[in-house]
Amino acid sequence: EIISDIKNSGIVKLTTILGQTILSQQIEISEGNNIFNFDISNFAPGIYIVNIVSEKGNFGKRFIKQ
């Protein structure tokens, strides 16, 4: 979930813990709450990093797929 005070665009990237990009997608960020869903059912179990890059800044978070 991303909370934004302005309308913006950005790029979401999912990478492995080793830095391999496995998904890169342009997104539109609306003012207010934004929720983005991605199908990770085909991903191998492991640790992944989601990065969102926009004009307003960068956001990154790790998650574990079991």
Side-chain angles (χ1 to χ4, degrees), residues 5 21-23 31-32 34 41 47 55 58 61-62 66:
D5 56 358
T21 300
I22 52 176
L23 183 139
E31 186 175 343
N34 295 266
S41 61
I47 300 172
E55 294 174 7
N58 300 338
K61 184 145 181 117
R62 287 191 293 173
Q66 298 183 345

Side-chain angles (χ1 to χ4, degrees), residues 38-56:
F38 300 96
D39 182 8
I40 61 168
S41 61
N42 292 328
F43 292 6
I47 300 172
Y48 294 88
I49 301 166
V50 59
N51 287 300
I52 299 172
V53 180
S54 72
E55 294 174 7
K56 187 168 180 173

Side-chain angles (χ1 to χ4, degrees), residues 1-65:
E1 177 179 22
I2 301 171
I3 300 172
S4 180
D5 56 358
I6 60 170
K7 186 176 178 180
N8 202 350
S9 63
I11 297 174
V12 64
K13 288 186 179 183
L14 291 175
T15 59
T16 66
I17 196 71
L18 300 175
Q20 178 186 11
T21 300
I22 52 176
L23 183 139
S24 181
Q25 184 174 333
Q26 184 79 26
I27 57 171
E28 292 299 320
I29 303 167
S30 301
E31 186 175 343
N33 290 343
N34 295 266
I35 297 175
F36 302 99
N37 295 304
F38 300 96
D39 182 8
I40 61 168
S41 61
N42 292 328
F43 292 6
I47 300 172
Y48 294 88
I49 301 166
V50 59
N51 287 300
I52 299 172
V53 180
S54 72
E55 294 174 7
K56 187 168 180 173
N58 300 338
F59 171 80
K61 184 145 181 117
R62 287 191 293 173
F63 69 94
I64 299 172
K65 175 162 189 303

